[in-house]
Amino acid sequence: MIISSKKINYFDPETKEEFEGVICFDSSIPGKKPGILIAHAFGGQGEFDVNKAKELAKLGYVGFAIDMYGKGKRASTSQEAGELMRVLNEDRPLLLKRILLALSTLKDQEEVDSNKIGAIGFCFGGKCVLDLTRSGENIQGVVSFHGVPDKPKNKVDKPISASILLLHGWDDPLARPDQMIELTRELTKCNADWQLLAFGHTGHAFTNPKANSPQSGSFYKESSDKRAWQSMVNFFEEIFSK
């Protein structure tokens, strides 16, 4: 096993805005491999996301830690993160445009089988990958880890072709049980193949070892983190074997 990593600069052809992602793959495996986007949480792409790309590479995939904010736009405080995220929360067409750009970039990589594409997202990134599926884009599957489920305003429901796995902390204050039930109703209406796995005594950001704010409902939960990752592994093994 030889895990290779490289930075990829990619551009919005209309605005010329630059983005910087990191792609990881096992260069000892010949031929093209399934590609998986990794959409970051509200602070912007960083070490956490690159490590997830490396872990996916160890599983035989091409992991692509994408950039939703733009090159060099990373938050050092919660206030900065909130402002960066607010721009895309208030402009969901722009959010979708950026993740579609990242998807196109991943498909263009020589190591990637463009017919086998998945995506995972954490927190805000979960919202990003859900919006990707809502667009009707032809990808095989997405996994949302403690994602924010709110639907874009005035969104017209259309059939969803991607399989969806929702990995959720039942005590997450940013995605209450009633909101998750509403999301499953939306996905059912769109004839999506969806699964919801909820973890008890688990809040928001349960996959992030640095999350330590139980008073606000955001904290790391090792057992839920491990169970969620294994569920994702099983999910991608299934959908990419079809």
Side-chain angles (χ1 to χ4, degrees):
M1 181 181 295
I2 305 173
I3 303 303
S4 300
S5 301
K6 60 182 178 180
K7 290 184 179 180
I8 295 180
N9 293 323
Y10 57 105
F11 299 84
D12 183 322
E14 296 178 359
T15 66
K16 308 305 179 184
E17 186 172 8
E18 185 177 4
F19 301 86
E20 185 177 76
V22 178
I23 190 171
C24 301
F25 56 94
D26 184 351
S27 54
S28 70
I29 300 176
K32 295 181 178 294
K33 296 164 275 290
I36 300 177
L37 297 171
I38 301 105
H40 55 74
F42 79 146
Q45 185 235 86
E47 181 182 7
F48 177 90
D49 313 286
V50 175
N51 285 338
K52 296 301 181 185
K54 291 177 180 177
E55 291 301 313
L56 288 168
K58 292 176 183 177
L59 296 171
Y61 305 123
V62 177
F64 183 33
I66 70 172
D67 177 8
M68 291 294 292
Y69 292 156
K71 185 175 181 178
K73 294 182 179 179
R74 305 291 186 267
S76 58
T77 67
S78 295
Q79 290 75 17
E80 290 176 357
E83 180 58 27
L84 287 168
M85 183 175 64
R86 181 191 62 78
V87 173
L88 297 182
N89 276 339
E90 294 181 358
D91 190 345
R92 298 288 278 274
L94 178 60
L95 183 157
L96 177 60
K97 180 182 180 183
R98 288 187 178 177
I99 197 166
L100 286 172
L101 176 63
L103 175 63
S104 176
T105 301
L106 176 63
K107 287 183 174 181
D108 285 343
Q109 301 308 305
E110 62 181 2
E111 301 86 3
V112 174
D113 181 348
S114 61
N115 294 312
K116 292 186 176 181
I117 299 293
I120 67 175
F122 299 83
C123 308
F124 166 70
K127 174 185 291 190
C128 295
V129 299
L130 287 172
D131 275 13
L132 180 60
T133 67
R134 288 176 170 122
S135 74
E137 188 70 21
N138 183 26
I139 62 175
Q140 280 58 60
V142 304
V143 182
S144 169
F145 292 84
H146 42 84
V148 183
D150 61 298
K151 180 180 178 181
K153 293 180 181 178
N154 304 317
K155 179 70 174 63
V156 177
D157 291 327
K158 61 176 65 175
I160 291 176
S161 61
S163 296
I164 299 170
L165 174 60
L166 306 168
L167 299 168
H168 173 62
W170 198 243
D171 299 326
D172 188 337
L174 301 184
R176 301 184 310 273
D178 62 307
Q179 293 175 298
M180 295 306 295
I181 295 300
E182 183 59 33
L183 174 60
T184 63
R185 288 174 177 155
E186 175 198 346
L187 298 178
T188 298
K189 185 177 180 181
C190 295
N191 200 33
D193 171 28
W194 63 266
Q195 304 173 56
L196 169 62
L197 179 57
F199 304 102
H201 313 290
T202 302
H204 190 64
F206 64 83
T207 64
N208 186 352
K210 294 182 179 180
N212 186 26
S213 183
Q215 69 277 10
S216 66
S218 296
F219 53 92
Y220 179 61
K221 184 72 177 290
E222 183 178 11
S223 60
S224 298
D225 180 22
K226 290 181 177 179
R227 290 167 179 170
W229 187 259
Q230 186 60 53
S231 297
M232 180 215 71
V233 170
N234 297 342
F235 174 79
F236 282 127
E237 283 181 351
E238 176 190 341
I239 67 170
F240 288 139
S241 66
K242 295 179 180 178

